[in-house]
Amino acid sequence: MKTTKSKILIFFLFISVSFTNSFAQGCSDAGFCSVGNGFKGHEANMKNSVDVGVVYGIAEEGVTVFSQYLTYTRDVTDRFAISTKITSAIANGDFGTRGNVGDLFLTGNYKFKTKFSDIEGSKIWSVLFGVKIPLTSSNDKINNVSLPMAYQASLGTFDFIGGINLTYKKWDFNTAVQIPLTDNKNSYISNYLVTDKFATTNLFERKSDVLFRTTYRLKTTNEKFTFKPNLLFIYHLGEDSFQNIFGQRETIVGSDGLTINGNLIVSYKLNKKSYLETSIASPFVVRKERPDGLTRALTLGLSYKVNF
């Protein structure tokens, strides 16, 4: 147990130190980060769960973001679950403070049945599929001036989300894709007389992302605490683009490529029905350009989940 605690402490300290010198793409949104969380199910006679949470993030150029979400999940059968999630965010920085609702997620999760799937420690495969519906056009303004994407509560795009999850003993392996099906309506144009720190994102067109995550679960002897260190790999499949003042589309060089985030989640079991969960995340590898406003040096999260 001492060895296990030492490893967790070292991992936590490594993340805490790393954020001071680097920035990374935050998850495309809370939904994409949780894509691929395998079908978990609940105890007997508990087919519903509600999860409410908040996330504090340190973004680019001194912008701080306070995000909130509410999730409801229903186990329709022992192999199929549906979930709905709504998000919002408040951003604060040199431009001012702006808050708005974010996105609505509708997802389904199907667990494949095998002759070994009911045996503890066996391999369990599941798939997740759904959509992200923007509740804002991602063009919030202050004093009629369009704000950079770092201040927006949503990417403003209608997205398809799909993923595959493998659970084996204490390991979870997730791979997923998020495909924007529309462009957003942001109209921010970088003004060198004000600041050139934020990229122009007028009629922003964002490319797709592919995710891979590996998670290891450690439980204390009394099973009150669960520690889940994990690594998250996000590959942006192409260079994003915007429309310039002449009506021509320009690509943003260096906006494609790999981001790697480290994350530590700690879950505390209050009773048979409810949990408290905290998380801390920070980057190891970053993309050269991140015009979508998802840059985070550090994120801290807290959530409460109840099953019934």
Side-chain angles (χ1 to χ4, degrees):
M1 181 58 69
K2 288 184 178 180
T3 301
T4 299
K5 289 183 177 179
S6 297
K7 290 180 178 179
I8 293 172
L9 180 60
I10 291 171
F11 183 86
F12 182 85
L13 290 174
F14 180 60
I15 290 178
S16 299
V17 171
S18 68
F19 85 82
T20 59
N21 294 314
S22 56
F23 282 78
Q25 172 185 321
C27 293
S28 298
D29 45 53
F32 191 47
C33 286
S34 59
V35 158
N37 283 344
F39 185 97
K40 303 301 182 185
H42 309 309
E43 296 183 26
N45 301 320
M46 294 187 191
K47 301 296 184 181
N48 306 277
S49 70
V50 173
D51 188 2
V52 58
V54 294
V55 180
Y56 172 79
I58 301 175
E60 56 191 313
E61 303 306 322
V63 178
T64 57
V65 182
F66 187 69
S67 305
Q68 309 85 35
Y69 64 88
L70 174 66
T71 304
Y72 169 72
T73 302
R74 167 72 179 180
D75 290 358
V76 180
T77 70
D78 61 350
R79 286 193 286 167
F80 180 66
I82 57 176
S83 180
T84 181
K85 179 176 187 176
I86 188 169
T87 68
S88 62
I90 301 172
N92 176 265
D94 292 340
F95 280 74
T97 301
R98 192 69 167 88
N100 206 344
V101 292
D103 299 291
L104 174 67
F105 297 87
L106 302 173
T107 58
N109 199 318
Y110 181 81
K111 180 179 70 174
F112 293 100
K113 181 75 171 179
T114 70
K115 61 181 179 179
F116 302 111
S117 58
D118 294 328
I119 301 175
E120 185 176 357
S122 63
K123 296 178 181 179
I124 300 175
W125 290 90
S126 63
V127 295
L128 183 144
F129 47 90
V131 294
K132 178 180 75 68
I133 303 170
L135 301 178
T136 171
S137 62
S138 192
N139 194 32
D140 287 343
K141 302 177 180 181
I142 294 179
N143 297 326
N144 292 321
V145 177
S146 183
L147 296 170
M149 287 297 296
Y151 289 82
Q152 305 296 335
S154 166
L155 292 173
T157 57
F158 187 100
D159 297 355
F160 167 78
I161 299 172
I164 300 174
N165 177 84
L166 169 63
T167 298
Y168 180 61
K169 295 183 178 179
K170 296 182 179 181
W171 291 92
D172 279 323
F173 301 97
N174 320 129
T175 185
V177 62
Q178 180 167 344
I179 304 173
L181 303 177
T182 62
D183 299 338
N184 78 12
K185 305 301 181 183
N186 187 265
S187 58
Y188 175 75
I189 296 177
S190 181
N191 185 339
Y192 287 93
L193 297 178
V194 179
T195 179
D196 61 352
K197 300 298 184 180
F198 298 99
T200 295
T201 46
N202 183 49
L203 299 179
F204 184 55
E205 182 182 287
R206 190 173 188 274
K207 298 300 184 180
S208 302
D209 288 302
V210 173
L211 169 154
F212 175 77
R213 178 178 53 213
T214 178
T215 304
Y216 186 72
R217 299 185 306 279
L218 296 169
K219 289 187 177 182
T220 56
T221 304
N222 61 5
E223 297 190 349
K224 281 287 189 180
F225 284 94
T226 302
F227 299 90
K228 294 179 283 188
N230 62 87
L231 282 177
L232 174 67
F233 301 78
I234 302 176
Y235 196 89
H236 201 55
L237 293 178
E239 293 182 331
D240 302 326
S241 65
F242 66 92
Q243 184 172 296
N244 63 25
I245 59 176
F246 303 106
Q248 300 172 329
R249 187 150 291 276
E250 293 186 26
T251 58
I252 303 173
V253 178
S255 56
D256 59 341
L258 178 67
T259 298
I260 303 177
N261 289 341
N263 188 15
L264 175 62
I265 300 171
V266 180
S267 179
Y268 178 71
K269 186 176 182 180
L270 297 171
N271 50 53
K272 288 185 177 181
K273 295 184 177 181
S274 59
Y275 301 81
L276 278 178
E277 193 166 88
T278 62
S279 65
I280 179 172
S282 188
F284 299 135
V285 175
V286 304
R287 290 187 290 146
K288 183 179 179 181
E289 298 291 338
R290 298 168 300 280
D292 48 25
L294 297 178
T295 297
R296 300 290 184 268
L298 174 73
T299 62
L300 299 170
L302 175 66
S303 65
Y304 172 75
K305 180 177 181 179
V306 59
N307 302 325
F308 57 96

PDB file of all heavy atoms in Angstrom, residues 25 28 178 180 204-211 233-241 252 254-259 287 289-292 294:
ATOM      1  N   GLN A  25      -4.122  21.898 -25.281  1.00  0.00           N
ATOM      2  CA  GLN A  25      -5.524  21.891 -25.626  1.00  0.00           C
ATOM      3  C   GLN A  25      -6.244  21.231 -24.464  1.00  0.00           C
ATOM      4  O   GLN A  25      -5.914  20.150 -24.041  1.00  0.00           O
ATOM      5  CB  GLN A  25      -5.747  21.077 -26.898  1.00  0.00           C
ATOM      6  CG  GLN A  25      -7.218  20.861 -27.213  1.00  0.00           C
ATOM      7  CD  GLN A  25      -7.392  19.965 -28.395  1.00  0.00           C
ATOM      8  OE1 GLN A  25      -6.660  20.047 -29.358  1.00  0.00           O
ATOM      9  NE2 GLN A  25      -8.375  19.090 -28.339  1.00  0.00           N
ATOM     10  N   SER A  28     -11.780  18.756 -26.045  1.00  0.00           N
ATOM     11  CA  SER A  28     -12.610  19.479 -26.998  1.00  0.00           C
ATOM     12  C   SER A  28     -13.841  20.022 -26.310  1.00  0.00           C
ATOM     13  O   SER A  28     -14.339  21.092 -26.627  1.00  0.00           O
ATOM     14  CB  SER A  28     -13.025  18.555 -28.137  1.00  0.00           C
ATOM     15  OG  SER A  28     -11.878  18.112 -28.815  1.00  0.00           O
ATOM     16  N   GLN A 178     -14.422  12.785 -32.769  1.00  0.00           N
ATOM     17  CA  GLN A 178     -15.407  13.869 -32.739  1.00  0.00           C
ATOM     18  C   GLN A 178     -15.321  14.605 -34.062  1.00  0.00           C
ATOM     19  O   GLN A 178     -14.273  15.154 -34.410  1.00  0.00           O
ATOM     20  CB  GLN A 178     -15.153  14.821 -31.571  1.00  0.00           C
ATOM     21  CG  GLN A 178     -16.159  15.956 -31.501  1.00  0.00           C
ATOM     22  CD  GLN A 178     -16.103  16.705 -30.169  1.00  0.00           C
ATOM     23  OE1 GLN A 178     -15.550  16.221 -29.205  1.00  0.00           O
ATOM     24  NE2 GLN A 178     -16.676  17.886 -30.139  1.00  0.00           N
ATOM     25  N   PRO A 180     -16.902  17.566 -36.413  1.00  0.00           N
ATOM     26  CA  PRO A 180     -17.800  18.722 -36.593  1.00  0.00           C
ATOM     27  C   PRO A 180     -18.540  18.605 -37.923  1.00  0.00           C
ATOM     28  O   PRO A 180     -17.936  18.363 -38.970  1.00  0.00           O
ATOM     29  CB  PRO A 180     -16.835  19.915 -36.595  1.00  0.00           C
ATOM     30  CG  PRO A 180     -15.573  19.409 -35.971  1.00  0.00           C
ATOM     31  CD  PRO A 180     -15.492  17.970 -36.353  1.00  0.00           C
ATOM     32  N   PHE A 204     -15.226  30.441 -38.183  1.00  0.00           N
ATOM     33  CA  PHE A 204     -14.213  29.425 -37.871  1.00  0.00           C
ATOM     34  C   PHE A 204     -14.646  28.031 -38.330  1.00  0.00           C
ATOM     35  O   PHE A 204     -15.762  27.585 -38.080  1.00  0.00           O
ATOM     36  CB  PHE A 204     -13.989  29.442 -36.363  1.00  0.00           C
ATOM     37  CG  PHE A 204     -12.906  28.537 -35.878  1.00  0.00           C
ATOM     38  CD1 PHE A 204     -11.617  28.615 -36.381  1.00  0.00           C
ATOM     39  CD2 PHE A 204     -13.160  27.600 -34.878  1.00  0.00           C
ATOM     40  CE1 PHE A 204     -10.608  27.789 -35.902  1.00  0.00           C
ATOM     41  CE2 PHE A 204     -12.168  26.775 -34.390  1.00  0.00           C
ATOM     42  CZ  PHE A 204     -10.895  26.870 -34.909  1.00  0.00           C
ATOM     43  N   GLU A 205     -13.747  27.346 -39.024  1.00  0.00           N
ATOM     44  CA  GLU A 205     -13.971  25.961 -39.452  1.00  0.00           C
ATOM     45  C   GLU A 205     -12.970  25.066 -38.750  1.00  0.00           C
ATOM     46  O   GLU A 205     -11.763  25.185 -38.952  1.00  0.00           O
ATOM     47  CB  GLU A 205     -13.821  25.822 -40.971  1.00  0.00           C
ATOM     48  CG  GLU A 205     -14.085  24.416 -41.474  1.00  0.00           C
ATOM     49  CD  GLU A 205     -13.885  24.289 -42.973  1.00  0.00           C
ATOM     50  OE1 GLU A 205     -14.756  24.797 -43.718  1.00  0.00           O
ATOM     51  OE2 GLU A 205     -12.858  23.721 -43.398  1.00  0.00           O
ATOM     52  N   ARG A 206     -13.480  24.179 -37.915  1.00  0.00           N
ATOM     53  CA  ARG A 206     -12.626  23.337 -37.083  1.00  0.00           C
ATOM     54  C   ARG A 206     -12.601  21.906 -37.608  1.00  0.00           C
ATOM     55  O   ARG A 206     -13.637  21.341 -37.965  1.00  0.00           O
ATOM     56  CB  ARG A 206     -13.138  23.354 -35.632  1.00  0.00           C
ATOM     57  CG  ARG A 206     -12.202  22.702 -34.631  1.00  0.00           C
ATOM     58  CD  ARG A 206     -12.706  22.928 -33.208  1.00  0.00           C
ATOM     59  NE  ARG A 206     -11.731  22.471 -32.231  1.00  0.00           N
ATOM     60  CZ  ARG A 206     -11.651  21.227 -31.798  1.00  0.00           C
ATOM     61  NH1 ARG A 206     -12.505  20.326 -32.240  1.00  0.00           N
ATOM     62  NH2 ARG A 206     -10.729  20.889 -30.918  1.00  0.00           N
ATOM     63  N   LYS A 207     -11.428  21.299 -37.636  1.00  0.00           N
ATOM     64  CA  LYS A 207     -11.277  19.932 -38.107  1.00  0.00           C
ATOM     65  C   LYS A 207     -11.611  18.931 -36.993  1.00  0.00           C
ATOM     66  O   LYS A 207     -11.814  19.291 -35.832  1.00  0.00           O
ATOM     67  CB  LYS A 207      -9.852  19.701 -38.608  1.00  0.00           C
ATOM     68  CG  LYS A 207      -9.462  20.584 -39.788  1.00  0.00           C
ATOM     69  CD  LYS A 207     -10.376  20.341 -40.985  1.00  0.00           C
ATOM     70  CE  LYS A 207      -9.924  21.165 -42.189  1.00  0.00           C
ATOM     71  NZ  LYS A 207     -10.793  20.957 -43.365  1.00  0.00           N
ATOM     72  N   SER A 208     -11.632  17.668 -37.358  1.00  0.00           N
ATOM     73  CA  SER A 208     -12.011  16.601 -36.432  1.00  0.00           C
ATOM     74  C   SER A 208     -10.883  16.242 -35.475  1.00  0.00           C
ATOM     75  O   SER A 208      -9.714  16.568 -35.711  1.00  0.00           O
ATOM     76  CB  SER A 208     -12.422  15.351 -37.219  1.00  0.00           C
ATOM     77  OG  SER A 208     -13.488  15.627 -38.098  1.00  0.00           O
ATOM     78  N   ASP A 209     -11.256  15.565 -34.386  1.00  0.00           N
ATOM     79  CA  ASP A 209     -10.299  15.068 -33.407  1.00  0.00           C
ATOM     80  C   ASP A 209     -10.450  13.563 -33.241  1.00  0.00           C
ATOM     81  O   ASP A 209     -11.563  13.020 -33.326  1.00  0.00           O
ATOM     82  CB  ASP A 209     -10.544  15.702 -32.027  1.00  0.00           C
ATOM     83  CG  ASP A 209     -10.143  17.164 -31.983  1.00  0.00           C
ATOM     84  OD1 ASP A 209      -8.970  17.452 -32.264  1.00  0.00           O
ATOM     85  OD2 ASP A 209     -11.001  18.006 -31.684  1.00  0.00           O
ATOM     86  N   VAL A 210      -9.321  12.913 -32.968  1.00  0.00           N
ATOM     87  CA  VAL A 210      -9.313  11.505 -32.573  1.00  0.00           C
ATOM     88  C   VAL A 210      -8.703  11.428 -31.183  1.00  0.00           C
ATOM     89  O   VAL A 210      -7.698  12.084 -30.906  1.00  0.00           O
ATOM     90  CB  VAL A 210      -8.510  10.640 -33.562  1.00  0.00           C
ATOM     91  CG1 VAL A 210      -8.371   9.215 -33.034  1.00  0.00           C
ATOM     92  CG2 VAL A 210      -9.195  10.615 -34.922  1.00  0.00           C
ATOM     93  N   LEU A 211      -9.311  10.637 -30.323  1.00  0.00           N
ATOM     94  CA  LEU A 211      -8.870  10.529 -28.930  1.00  0.00           C
ATOM     95  C   LEU A 211      -8.462   9.103 -28.598  1.00  0.00           C
ATOM     96  O   LEU A 211      -9.063   8.143 -29.075  1.00  0.00           O
ATOM     97  CB  LEU A 211     -10.020  10.973 -28.019  1.00  0.00           C
ATOM     98  CG  LEU A 211      -9.952  10.741 -26.506  1.00  0.00           C
ATOM     99  CD1 LEU A 211     -10.809  11.781 -25.790  1.00  0.00           C
ATOM    100  CD2 LEU A 211     -10.470   9.348 -26.107  1.00  0.00           C
ATOM    101  N   PHE A 233      -4.591  11.218 -25.128  1.00  0.00           N
ATOM    102  CA  PHE A 233      -3.965  11.633 -26.387  1.00  0.00           C
ATOM    103  C   PHE A 233      -5.069  12.161 -27.309  1.00  0.00           C
ATOM    104  O   PHE A 233      -6.047  11.456 -27.579  1.00  0.00           O
ATOM    105  CB  PHE A 233      -3.271  10.457 -27.067  1.00  0.00           C
ATOM    106  CG  PHE A 233      -2.191   9.811 -26.242  1.00  0.00           C
ATOM    107  CD1 PHE A 233      -2.510   8.940 -25.202  1.00  0.00           C
ATOM    108  CD2 PHE A 233      -0.852  10.069 -26.500  1.00  0.00           C
ATOM    109  CE1 PHE A 233      -1.512   8.336 -24.444  1.00  0.00           C
ATOM    110  CE2 PHE A 233       0.152   9.478 -25.747  1.00  0.00           C
ATOM    111  CZ  PHE A 233      -0.187   8.607 -24.711  1.00  0.00           C
ATOM    112  N   ILE A 234      -4.922  13.400 -27.792  1.00  0.00           N
ATOM    113  CA  ILE A 234      -5.870  13.979 -28.740  1.00  0.00           C
ATOM    114  C   ILE A 234      -5.109  14.416 -29.985  1.00  0.00           C
ATOM    115  O   ILE A 234      -4.188  15.229 -29.900  1.00  0.00           O
ATOM    116  CB  ILE A 234      -6.611  15.192 -28.149  1.00  0.00           C
ATOM    117  CG1 ILE A 234      -7.355  14.816 -26.867  1.00  0.00           C
ATOM    118  CG2 ILE A 234      -7.601  15.758 -29.170  1.00  0.00           C
ATOM    119  CD1 ILE A 234      -8.027  15.989 -26.181  1.00  0.00           C
ATOM    120  N   TYR A 235      -5.495  13.859 -31.133  1.00  0.00           N
ATOM    121  CA  TYR A 235      -4.848  14.244 -32.397  1.00  0.00           C
ATOM    122  C   TYR A 235      -5.844  15.024 -33.248  1.00  0.00           C
ATOM    123  O   TYR A 235      -6.911  14.522 -33.606  1.00  0.00           O
ATOM    124  CB  TYR A 235      -4.339  13.023 -33.159  1.00  0.00           C
ATOM    125  CG  TYR A 235      -3.355  13.405 -34.240  1.00  0.00           C
ATOM    126  CD1 TYR A 235      -1.994  13.499 -33.960  1.00  0.00           C
ATOM    127  CD2 TYR A 235      -3.792  13.723 -35.527  1.00  0.00           C
ATOM    128  CE1 TYR A 235      -1.091  13.879 -34.931  1.00  0.00           C
ATOM    129  CE2 TYR A 235      -2.894  14.110 -36.510  1.00  0.00           C
ATOM    130  CZ  TYR A 235      -1.537  14.186 -36.202  1.00  0.00           C
ATOM    131  OH  TYR A 235      -0.644  14.572 -37.175  1.00  0.00           O
ATOM    132  N   HIS A 236      -5.482  16.270 -33.549  1.00  0.00           N
ATOM    133  CA  HIS A 236      -6.303  17.141 -34.389  1.00  0.00           C
ATOM    134  C   HIS A 236      -5.959  16.836 -35.844  1.00  0.00           C
ATOM    135  O   HIS A 236      -4.806  17.025 -36.267  1.00  0.00           O
ATOM    136  CB  HIS A 236      -6.021  18.599 -34.036  1.00  0.00           C
ATOM    137  CG  HIS A 236      -7.103  19.543 -34.438  1.00  0.00           C
ATOM    138  ND1 HIS A 236      -8.423  19.393 -34.047  1.00  0.00           N
ATOM    139  CD2 HIS A 236      -7.068  20.675 -35.198  1.00  0.00           C
ATOM    140  CE1 HIS A 236      -9.138  20.375 -34.541  1.00  0.00           C
ATOM    141  NE2 HIS A 236      -8.344  21.161 -35.247  1.00  0.00           N
ATOM    142  N   LEU A 237      -6.931  16.387 -36.634  1.00  0.00           N
ATOM    143  CA  LEU A 237      -6.664  15.758 -37.923  1.00  0.00           C
ATOM    144  C   LEU A 237      -6.343  16.706 -39.072  1.00  0.00           C
ATOM    145  O   LEU A 237      -5.960  16.257 -40.153  1.00  0.00           O
ATOM    146  CB  LEU A 237      -7.866  14.886 -38.321  1.00  0.00           C
ATOM    147  CG  LEU A 237      -8.104  13.663 -37.423  1.00  0.00           C
ATOM    148  CD1 LEU A 237      -9.349  12.916 -37.881  1.00  0.00           C
ATOM    149  CD2 LEU A 237      -6.893  12.736 -37.447  1.00  0.00           C
ATOM    150  N   GLY A 238      -6.484  17.994 -38.868  1.00  0.00           N
ATOM    151  CA  GLY A 238      -6.167  18.932 -39.949  1.00  0.00           C
ATOM    152  C   GLY A 238      -6.020  20.340 -39.435  1.00  0.00           C
ATOM    153  O   GLY A 238      -6.247  20.626 -38.255  1.00  0.00           O
ATOM    154  N   GLU A 239      -5.609  21.238 -40.319  1.00  0.00           N
ATOM    155  CA  GLU A 239      -5.456  22.637 -39.941  1.00  0.00           C
ATOM    156  C   GLU A 239      -6.795  23.360 -40.036  1.00  0.00           C
ATOM    157  O   GLU A 239      -7.498  23.264 -41.044  1.00  0.00           O
ATOM    158  CB  GLU A 239      -4.415  23.316 -40.842  1.00  0.00           C
ATOM    159  CG  GLU A 239      -2.998  22.791 -40.628  1.00  0.00           C
ATOM    160  CD  GLU A 239      -1.975  23.499 -41.488  1.00  0.00           C
ATOM    161  OE1 GLU A 239      -2.343  23.960 -42.591  1.00  0.00           O
ATOM    162  OE2 GLU A 239      -0.811  23.584 -41.056  1.00  0.00           O
ATOM    163  N   ASP A 240      -7.141  24.077 -38.978  1.00  0.00           N
ATOM    164  CA  ASP A 240      -8.378  24.846 -38.951  1.00  0.00           C
ATOM    165  C   ASP A 240      -8.257  26.046 -39.897  1.00  0.00           C
ATOM    166  O   ASP A 240      -7.158  26.388 -40.361  1.00  0.00           O
ATOM    167  CB  ASP A 240      -8.665  25.330 -37.532  1.00  0.00           C
ATOM    168  CG  ASP A 240      -8.756  24.190 -36.531  1.00  0.00           C
ATOM    169  OD1 ASP A 240      -9.238  23.104 -36.926  1.00  0.00           O
ATOM    170  OD2 ASP A 240      -8.344  24.375 -35.371  1.00  0.00           O
ATOM    171  N   SER A 241      -9.384  26.711 -40.155  1.00  0.00           N
ATOM    172  CA  SER A 241      -9.351  27.849 -41.073  1.00  0.00           C
ATOM    173  C   SER A 241     -10.379  28.900 -40.654  1.00  0.00           C
ATOM    174  O   SER A 241     -11.269  28.641 -39.837  1.00  0.00           O
ATOM    175  CB  SER A 241      -9.620  27.402 -42.513  1.00  0.00           C
ATOM    176  OG  SER A 241     -10.928  26.887 -42.650  1.00  0.00           O
ATOM    177  N   ILE A 252      -4.949  27.979 -40.685  1.00  0.00           N
ATOM    178  CA  ILE A 252      -4.136  28.379 -39.535  1.00  0.00           C
ATOM    179  C   ILE A 252      -3.013  27.367 -39.397  1.00  0.00           C
ATOM    180  O   ILE A 252      -3.213  26.243 -38.920  1.00  0.00           O
ATOM    181  CB  ILE A 252      -4.985  28.452 -38.259  1.00  0.00           C
ATOM    182  CG1 ILE A 252      -6.148  29.433 -38.473  1.00  0.00           C
ATOM    183  CG2 ILE A 252      -4.135  28.866 -37.060  1.00  0.00           C
ATOM    184  CD1 ILE A 252      -7.146  29.464 -37.339  1.00  0.00           C
ATOM    185  N   GLY A 254      -0.110  25.103 -38.320  1.00  0.00           N
ATOM    186  CA  GLY A 254       0.303  24.572 -37.026  1.00  0.00           C
ATOM    187  C   GLY A 254      -0.839  24.230 -36.084  1.00  0.00           C
ATOM    188  O   GLY A 254      -0.610  23.859 -34.932  1.00  0.00           O
ATOM    189  N   SER A 255      -2.093  24.342 -36.574  1.00  0.00           N
ATOM    190  CA  SER A 255      -3.234  24.046 -35.712  1.00  0.00           C
ATOM    191  C   SER A 255      -3.611  22.567 -35.708  1.00  0.00           C
ATOM    192  O   SER A 255      -4.543  22.163 -35.004  1.00  0.00           O
ATOM    193  CB  SER A 255      -4.442  24.887 -36.120  1.00  0.00           C
ATOM    194  OG  SER A 255      -4.765  24.691 -37.491  1.00  0.00           O
ATOM    195  N   ASP A 256      -2.915  21.739 -36.490  1.00  0.00           N
ATOM    196  CA  ASP A 256      -3.132  20.296 -36.451  1.00  0.00           C
ATOM    197  C   ASP A 256      -2.097  19.651 -35.530  1.00  0.00           C
ATOM    198  O   ASP A 256      -1.174  20.309 -35.050  1.00  0.00           O
ATOM    199  CB  ASP A 256      -3.048  19.698 -37.853  1.00  0.00           C
ATOM    200  CG  ASP A 256      -1.685  19.951 -38.506  1.00  0.00           C
ATOM    201  OD1 ASP A 256      -0.962  20.866 -38.036  1.00  0.00           O
ATOM    202  OD2 ASP A 256      -1.343  19.257 -39.469  1.00  0.00           O
ATOM    203  N   GLY A 257      -2.242  18.375 -35.275  1.00  0.00           N
ATOM    204  CA  GLY A 257      -1.219  17.668 -34.516  1.00  0.00           C
ATOM    205  C   GLY A 257      -1.691  17.124 -33.177  1.00  0.00           C
ATOM    206  O   GLY A 257      -2.882  17.077 -32.873  1.00  0.00           O
ATOM    207  N   LEU A 258      -0.699  16.728 -32.373  1.00  0.00           N
ATOM    208  CA  LEU A 258      -0.937  15.950 -31.157  1.00  0.00           C
ATOM    209  C   LEU A 258      -0.902  16.788 -29.882  1.00  0.00           C
ATOM    210  O   LEU A 258      -0.077  17.686 -29.740  1.00  0.00           O
ATOM    211  CB  LEU A 258       0.125  14.844 -31.054  1.00  0.00           C
ATOM    212  CG  LEU A 258       0.080  13.931 -29.824  1.00  0.00           C
ATOM    213  CD1 LEU A 258      -1.175  13.061 -29.848  1.00  0.00           C
ATOM    214  CD2 LEU A 258       1.341  13.062 -29.774  1.00  0.00           C
ATOM    215  N   THR A 259      -1.806  16.463 -28.968  1.00  0.00           N
ATOM    216  CA  THR A 259      -1.790  16.973 -27.602  1.00  0.00           C
ATOM    217  C   THR A 259      -1.835  15.776 -26.657  1.00  0.00           C
ATOM    218  O   THR A 259      -2.573  14.819 -26.909  1.00  0.00           O
ATOM    219  CB  THR A 259      -3.022  17.870 -27.323  1.00  0.00           C
ATOM    220  OG1 THR A 259      -2.983  18.996 -28.193  1.00  0.00           O
ATOM    221  CG2 THR A 259      -3.030  18.362 -25.888  1.00  0.00           C
ATOM    222  N   ARG A 287      -0.006  21.365 -29.143  1.00  0.00           N
ATOM    223  CA  ARG A 287       0.007  21.787 -30.544  1.00  0.00           C
ATOM    224  C   ARG A 287       0.589  23.191 -30.641  1.00  0.00           C
ATOM    225  O   ARG A 287       0.522  23.973 -29.699  1.00  0.00           O
ATOM    226  CB  ARG A 287      -1.409  21.796 -31.111  1.00  0.00           C
ATOM    227  CG  ARG A 287      -2.016  20.424 -31.305  1.00  0.00           C
ATOM    228  CD  ARG A 287      -3.349  20.527 -32.016  1.00  0.00           C
ATOM    229  NE  ARG A 287      -4.387  21.116 -31.177  1.00  0.00           N
ATOM    230  CZ  ARG A 287      -5.362  21.888 -31.624  1.00  0.00           C
ATOM    231  NH1 ARG A 287      -5.409  22.214 -32.915  1.00  0.00           N
ATOM    232  NH2 ARG A 287      -6.278  22.370 -30.814  1.00  0.00           N
ATOM    233  N   GLU A 289      -0.405  25.753 -32.579  1.00  0.00           N
ATOM    234  CA  GLU A 289      -1.475  26.759 -32.585  1.00  0.00           C
ATOM    235  C   GLU A 289      -2.769  26.107 -32.113  1.00  0.00           C
ATOM    236  O   GLU A 289      -3.104  24.996 -32.528  1.00  0.00           O
ATOM    237  CB  GLU A 289      -1.673  27.333 -34.003  1.00  0.00           C
ATOM    238  CG  GLU A 289      -0.464  28.063 -34.552  1.00  0.00           C
ATOM    239  CD  GLU A 289      -0.187  29.365 -33.810  1.00  0.00           C
ATOM    240  OE1 GLU A 289      -1.139  29.890 -33.179  1.00  0.00           O
ATOM    241  OE2 GLU A 289       0.951  29.850 -33.862  1.00  0.00           O
ATOM    242  N   ARG A 290      -3.527  26.827 -31.261  1.00  0.00           N
ATOM    243  CA  ARG A 290      -4.772  26.298 -30.717  1.00  0.00           C
ATOM    244  C   ARG A 290      -5.846  27.402 -30.786  1.00  0.00           C
ATOM    245  O   ARG A 290      -6.208  27.997 -29.767  1.00  0.00           O
ATOM    246  CB  ARG A 290      -4.555  25.818 -29.288  1.00  0.00           C
ATOM    247  CG  ARG A 290      -3.532  24.679 -29.201  1.00  0.00           C
ATOM    248  CD  ARG A 290      -3.095  24.401 -27.778  1.00  0.00           C
ATOM    249  NE  ARG A 290      -2.472  25.556 -27.137  1.00  0.00           N
ATOM    250  CZ  ARG A 290      -1.197  25.912 -27.336  1.00  0.00           C
ATOM    251  NH1 ARG A 290      -0.433  25.223 -28.157  1.00  0.00           N
ATOM    252  NH2 ARG A 290      -0.709  26.976 -26.713  1.00  0.00           N
ATOM    253  N   PRO A 291      -6.351  27.684 -31.981  1.00  0.00           N
ATOM    254  CA  PRO A 291      -7.271  28.820 -32.160  1.00  0.00           C
ATOM    255  C   PRO A 291      -8.668  28.588 -31.595  1.00  0.00           C
ATOM    256  O   PRO A 291      -9.447  29.541 -31.507  1.00  0.00           O
ATOM    257  CB  PRO A 291      -7.329  28.975 -33.688  1.00  0.00           C
ATOM    258  CG  PRO A 291      -7.066  27.588 -34.202  1.00  0.00           C
ATOM    259  CD  PRO A 291      -6.047  27.013 -33.263  1.00  0.00           C
ATOM    260  N   ASP A 292      -9.003  27.354 -31.223  1.00  0.00           N
ATOM    261  CA  ASP A 292     -10.360  27.059 -30.786  1.00  0.00           C
ATOM    262  C   ASP A 292     -10.658  27.497 -29.360  1.00  0.00           C
ATOM    263  O   ASP A 292     -11.766  27.301 -28.861  1.00  0.00           O
ATOM    264  CB  ASP A 292     -10.666  25.567 -30.935  1.00  0.00           C
ATOM    265  CG  ASP A 292      -9.558  24.685 -30.367  1.00  0.00           C
ATOM    266  OD1 ASP A 292      -8.819  25.156 -29.473  1.00  0.00           O
ATOM    267  OD2 ASP A 292      -9.425  23.540 -30.825  1.00  0.00           O
ATOM    268  N   LEU A 294      -9.427  26.320 -26.555  1.00  0.00           N
ATOM    269  CA  LEU A 294      -9.451  25.227 -25.582  1.00  0.00           C
ATOM    270  C   LEU A 294      -8.132  25.065 -24.835  1.00  0.00           C
ATOM    271  O   LEU A 294      -7.947  24.104 -24.102  1.00  0.00           O
ATOM    272  CB  LEU A 294      -9.798  23.904 -26.293  1.00  0.00           C
ATOM    273  CG  LEU A 294     -11.180  23.877 -26.943  1.00  0.00           C
ATOM    274  CD1 LEU A 294     -11.403  22.561 -27.661  1.00  0.00           C
ATOM    275  CD2 LEU A 294     -12.265  24.117 -25.916  1.00  0.00           C
TER     276      LEU A 294
END
